[in-house]
Amino acid sequence: MPDLNLSALQKALSSAALEPGGAFGPVVRLPLASDLPATCQQLRSQPEPGIDVLEDYTALDLGEGFELVLHLVSSADVTRRLTVKAPVSRQTPEAPSLVACYGSAEWYEREIFDMFGIRFTGHPDLRRILLPEDWEGYPLRKDYSDDKLLKRPGN
Amino acid sequence: MSKAETLQTIEYPPALQTETLTLNMGPQHPSTHGALRIILRLDGERVVSAQPDFGYVHRGFEKMAEAMTYPQYVYLTDRLDYLSALFNEWSYCLACETLAGLKVPRRAEYLRVITGELCRISSHLVWLGSMGMDLGAFTPLTYTFRDREMILEIFDRLCGQRMTFNYLRIGGVARDLPAGFTEQTRAFLKYFERMPDLYDQLLSENAIFLGRVRGIGRLSPETAHHHAVTGPNLRGSGVPLDLRKSEPYSVYPEFEFKVCIETEGDALARYRVRVEEMRQSARIIAQALDNLPAGEITAKVSRVFRPPAGEAYVRVESSRGIQGFYLVSDGSVKPARCRIRVPSFANLSLLPKLLAGVKIADIVAILGSIDFIVPEIDR
């Protein structure tokens, strides 16, 4: 597998920590979610096959806060890939929208909003996508509960 | 609403005022293949904007995973893309195996390839029949469902299930081939050899069918990448991305097959890609049956599957595109997070773009050519 030019990448992403050898390519760890749009633009214009496809976009509930996880690949070479992670606070769950950068982000962000309640500023149409409009709460948060959730025996 | 709305507004002279009509297509519409609703705004025969609305069969798969142990979840993945259920199991098991660092025995890998490619053929057969039927050609459906039945019988013999197989296990497969499986599969392959040509005669040499799909729903590679489209839809636009070749997993490097590409990017190109893929899948199955190694069918997996803390994002090439599982383990018996990357979700996000400006009758042709499956989108 051809490797990404890590040193050039690190230079382009000055503020971010770059960890080689993650589960899906190197991991770019951003200090703030507000760095996401600029980082994605940089990754797209990387001289070698630009990383320009947002294959998957999701979030994790880490307890004290959330983490956005982006799985990115290059359209020119599928083996060039990256994971980008950015923290989101629990008190003000907000992140900038990436719709301007990736078309696929529009629905992925709606799903993250639907499931985790993270608001994407600048999103053109941020509403629930899978759950009904009047659903209360955000099911994939770890502290979510409702009277329809059944306790499995032994748990 | 969307950008498309402003693009397609037609100026009428003041005396001839018309207004757009909002029409719900679905959730119970035969061409949406499941409960999908498309909110259409129409200007006469033309679509001004189309907004897909889904979630009618949302079952909370990702939440359910957090309450189940890893092996318990395998059978549920069958209910994502039920027409090619094996790929869901495959990517889930692969993700678990990556987390735990398990090596799957070669015989099990071969069995996975054989069943996986059978699944791809049967999924494409359903698509072919229903796409023909959506466009008014009823005959192909009767042929493709007849042939698909033979594959379902093979699966029935193998694992007692016709569609929701529950055949794969973390570390291997559930059981070895039953007596007569190889002969039955070979007989099917021999029979199936000339079938794609027959379907081709029925559809791609049919002037009405051609008239309805040629040049319809054009998709450029740039738009496809922008929306993270994968699978036959992407290959129909001339991009040779097939994970089985570009990032080989399992034992795919050992087989000879071609990645099917068409450059037109229209509904006809996507149709051609899928028909050719059936031929290639049959080739792979024949090679796998010839070279099937003996040996174990499952790796040594401890009774309590407890992968170390970490994460894995693993993808396979399903019949609809890249299907992946992103598993985060905290070292316990249950996943901390189980995210499912489904091809249909990204593929369907194209719809507002593809449908803007087309005529109503073309909607069905475009929907059919995208080949999405709703339970997978809703999860």
Side-chain angles (χ1 to χ4, degrees), chain B residues 227-250:
Chain B
H227 284 268
V229 170
T230 50
N233 296 325
L234 183 61
R235 294 192 282 276
S237 298
V239 183
L241 169 60
D242 185 325
L243 284 187
R244 293 175 295 170
K245 275 269 194 238
S246 11
E247 209 189 326
Y249 53 95
S250 185

CSV table of all heavy atoms in Angstrom, one decimal, chain B residues 227-250:
chain,number,residue,atom,x,y,z
B,227,HIS,N,-20.4,12.8,-3.4
B,227,HIS,CA,-21.4,12.2,-2.5
B,227,HIS,C,-21.0,10.8,-2.0
B,227,HIS,O,-21.8,10.1,-1.5
B,227,HIS,CB,-22.8,12.1,-3.3
B,227,HIS,CG,-23.5,13.4,-3.4
B,227,HIS,ND1,-24.4,13.8,-2.5
B,227,HIS,CD2,-23.3,14.4,-4.3
B,227,HIS,CE1,-24.9,15.0,-2.9
B,227,HIS,NE2,-24.2,15.4,-4.0
B,228,ALA,N,-19.7,10.5,-2.1
B,228,ALA,CA,-19.2,9.2,-1.6
B,228,ALA,C,-20.0,8.0,-2.2
B,228,ALA,O,-20.2,7.0,-1.5
B,228,ALA,CB,-19.2,9.2,-0.1
B,229,VAL,N,-20.4,8.1,-3.5
B,229,VAL,CA,-21.1,7.0,-4.1
B,229,VAL,C,-20.1,5.9,-4.4
B,229,VAL,O,-18.9,6.2,-4.7
B,229,VAL,CB,-21.7,7.5,-5.4
B,229,VAL,CG1,-22.2,6.3,-6.2
B,229,VAL,CG2,-22.8,8.5,-5.1
B,230,THR,N,-20.5,4.7,-4.2
B,230,THR,CA,-19.6,3.5,-4.4
B,230,THR,C,-20.4,2.5,-5.2
B,230,THR,O,-21.6,2.6,-5.4
B,230,THR,CB,-19.1,2.9,-3.1
B,230,THR,OG1,-20.2,2.7,-2.3
B,230,THR,CG2,-18.1,3.8,-2.5
B,231,GLY,N,-19.7,1.4,-5.5
B,231,GLY,CA,-20.4,0.2,-6.1
B,231,GLY,C,-20.6,0.4,-7.6
B,231,GLY,O,-20.0,1.2,-8.3
B,232,PRO,N,-21.6,-0.4,-8.1
B,232,PRO,CA,-21.9,-0.3,-9.6
B,232,PRO,C,-22.2,1.1,-10.1
B,232,PRO,O,-22.0,1.4,-11.2
B,232,PRO,CB,-23.1,-1.3,-9.7
B,232,PRO,CG,-23.0,-2.2,-8.6
B,232,PRO,CD,-22.4,-1.4,-7.5
B,233,ASN,N,-22.8,1.9,-9.2
B,233,ASN,CA,-23.2,3.3,-9.6
B,233,ASN,C,-21.9,4.1,-9.9
B,233,ASN,O,-21.9,4.8,-10.9
B,233,ASN,CB,-23.9,4.0,-8.5
B,233,ASN,CG,-25.2,3.3,-8.2
B,233,ASN,OD1,-25.9,2.8,-9.1
B,233,ASN,ND2,-25.6,3.3,-6.9
B,234,LEU,N,-20.9,3.9,-9.1
B,234,LEU,CA,-19.6,4.6,-9.4
B,234,LEU,C,-18.9,4.0,-10.6
B,234,LEU,O,-18.4,4.7,-11.5
B,234,LEU,CB,-18.7,4.5,-8.2
B,234,LEU,CG,-17.4,5.2,-8.2
B,234,LEU,CD1,-17.6,6.7,-8.3
B,234,LEU,CD2,-16.6,5.0,-6.9
B,235,ARG,N,-18.9,2.7,-10.7
B,235,ARG,CA,-18.2,2.0,-11.8
B,235,ARG,C,-19.0,2.3,-13.2
B,235,ARG,O,-18.3,2.4,-14.2
B,235,ARG,CB,-18.2,0.5,-11.6
B,235,ARG,CG,-17.2,0.2,-10.4
B,235,ARG,CD,-16.9,-1.3,-10.4
B,235,ARG,NE,-18.0,-2.1,-9.9
B,235,ARG,CZ,-18.2,-2.3,-8.6
B,235,ARG,NH1,-17.4,-1.8,-7.7
B,235,ARG,NH2,-19.2,-3.1,-8.2
B,236,GLY,N,-20.2,2.6,-13.1
B,236,GLY,CA,-21.0,3.0,-14.3
B,236,GLY,C,-20.5,4.4,-14.8
B,236,GLY,O,-20.8,4.7,-15.9
B,237,SER,N,-19.9,5.2,-13.9
B,237,SER,CA,-19.4,6.5,-14.3
B,237,SER,C,-17.9,6.4,-14.7
B,237,SER,O,-17.2,7.4,-14.7
B,237,SER,CB,-19.6,7.5,-13.2
B,237,SER,OG,-21.0,7.6,-13.0
B,238,GLY,N,-17.4,5.2,-14.9
B,238,GLY,CA,-16.0,5.1,-15.3
B,238,GLY,C,-14.9,5.0,-14.3
B,238,GLY,O,-13.7,5.2,-14.6
B,239,VAL,N,-15.3,4.9,-13.0
B,239,VAL,CA,-14.3,4.9,-12.0
B,239,VAL,C,-14.0,3.4,-11.6
B,239,VAL,O,-15.0,2.7,-11.1
B,239,VAL,CB,-14.7,5.7,-10.7
B,239,VAL,CG1,-13.6,5.6,-9.7
B,239,VAL,CG2,-15.0,7.1,-11.1
B,240,PRO,N,-12.8,2.9,-11.8
B,240,PRO,CA,-12.6,1.4,-11.5
B,240,PRO,C,-12.4,1.1,-10.1
B,240,PRO,O,-11.5,0.4,-9.7
B,240,PRO,CB,-11.3,1.2,-12.3
B,240,PRO,CG,-10.6,2.4,-12.3
B,240,PRO,CD,-11.6,3.5,-12.2
B,241,LEU,N,-13.3,1.6,-9.2
B,241,LEU,CA,-13.1,1.3,-7.8
B,241,LEU,C,-13.9,0.1,-7.4
B,241,LEU,O,-15.2,0.1,-7.4
B,241,LEU,CB,-13.6,2.5,-6.9
B,241,LEU,CG,-13.7,2.3,-5.4
B,241,LEU,CD1,-12.3,1.8,-4.8
B,241,LEU,CD2,-14.2,3.5,-4.7
B,242,ASP,N,-13.2,-1.0,-7.1
B,242,ASP,CA,-13.8,-2.2,-6.6
B,242,ASP,C,-12.9,-2.7,-5.5
B,242,ASP,O,-11.8,-3.1,-5.8
B,242,ASP,CB,-14.0,-3.2,-7.8
B,242,ASP,CG,-14.8,-4.5,-7.3
B,242,ASP,OD1,-14.6,-4.9,-6.1
B,242,ASP,OD2,-15.5,-5.0,-8.1
B,243,LEU,N,-13.4,-2.7,-4.3
B,243,LEU,CA,-12.4,-3.1,-3.2
B,243,LEU,C,-11.8,-4.5,-3.4
B,243,LEU,O,-10.7,-4.7,-2.9
B,243,LEU,CB,-13.2,-3.1,-1.9
B,243,LEU,CG,-13.5,-1.7,-1.3
B,243,LEU,CD1,-14.1,-1.9,0.1
B,243,LEU,CD2,-12.2,-0.8,-1.2
B,244,ARG,N,-12.5,-5.4,-4.1
B,244,ARG,CA,-12.0,-6.7,-4.3
B,244,ARG,C,-10.7,-6.6,-5.1
B,244,ARG,O,-9.9,-7.5,-5.0
B,244,ARG,CB,-13.0,-7.6,-5.0
B,244,ARG,CG,-14.2,-7.8,-4.2
B,244,ARG,CD,-15.3,-8.6,-5.0
B,244,ARG,NE,-15.8,-7.8,-6.2
B,244,ARG,CZ,-16.5,-8.3,-7.1
B,244,ARG,NH1,-16.8,-9.6,-7.1
B,244,ARG,NH2,-16.9,-7.5,-8.1
B,245,LYS,N,-10.5,-5.6,-5.9
B,245,LYS,CA,-9.3,-5.4,-6.7
B,245,LYS,C,-8.4,-4.3,-6.1
B,245,LYS,O,-7.2,-4.5,-6.0
B,245,LYS,CB,-9.6,-5.1,-8.1
B,245,LYS,CG,-9.9,-6.3,-9.0
B,245,LYS,CD,-8.7,-6.7,-9.7
B,245,LYS,CE,-9.0,-7.7,-10.8
B,245,LYS,NZ,-8.5,-9.0,-10.7
B,246,SER,N,-9.0,-3.2,-5.8
B,246,SER,CA,-8.2,-2.0,-5.4
B,246,SER,C,-7.6,-2.2,-4.0
B,246,SER,O,-6.6,-1.6,-3.7
B,246,SER,CB,-9.0,-0.7,-5.5
B,246,SER,OG,-10.3,-0.9,-5.7
B,247,GLU,N,-8.3,-2.9,-3.1
B,247,GLU,CA,-7.8,-3.1,-1.8
B,247,GLU,C,-8.1,-4.5,-1.3
B,247,GLU,O,-8.9,-4.6,-0.4
B,247,GLU,CB,-8.4,-2.0,-0.9
B,247,GLU,CG,-7.5,-1.6,0.3
B,247,GLU,CD,-8.3,-0.7,1.2
B,247,GLU,OE1,-9.2,0.1,0.8
B,247,GLU,OE2,-8.1,-0.8,2.4
B,248,PRO,N,-7.5,-5.5,-1.9
B,248,PRO,CA,-8.1,-6.8,-1.8
B,248,PRO,C,-8.1,-7.3,-0.3
B,248,PRO,O,-7.2,-7.1,0.4
B,248,PRO,CB,-7.1,-7.7,-2.6
B,248,PRO,CG,-6.3,-6.8,-3.4
B,248,PRO,CD,-6.3,-5.4,-2.7
B,249,TYR,N,-9.2,-7.9,0.0
B,249,TYR,CA,-9.3,-8.5,1.3
B,249,TYR,C,-9.6,-10.0,1.1
B,249,TYR,O,-9.8,-10.4,-0.1
B,249,TYR,CB,-10.5,-7.9,2.1
B,249,TYR,CG,-11.8,-7.8,1.4
B,249,TYR,CD1,-12.8,-8.8,1.6
B,249,TYR,CD2,-12.1,-6.8,0.5
B,249,TYR,CE1,-14.0,-8.8,0.9
B,249,TYR,CE2,-13.3,-6.8,-0.2
B,249,TYR,CZ,-14.2,-7.7,0.0
B,249,TYR,OH,-15.4,-7.7,-0.7
B,250,SER,N,-9.7,-10.8,2.2
B,250,SER,CA,-10.0,-12.2,2.0
B,250,SER,C,-9.0,-12.8,1.0
B,250,SER,O,-7.8,-12.5,1.0
B,250,SER,CB,-11.4,-12.4,1.7
B,250,SER,OG,-11.7,-13.8,1.7
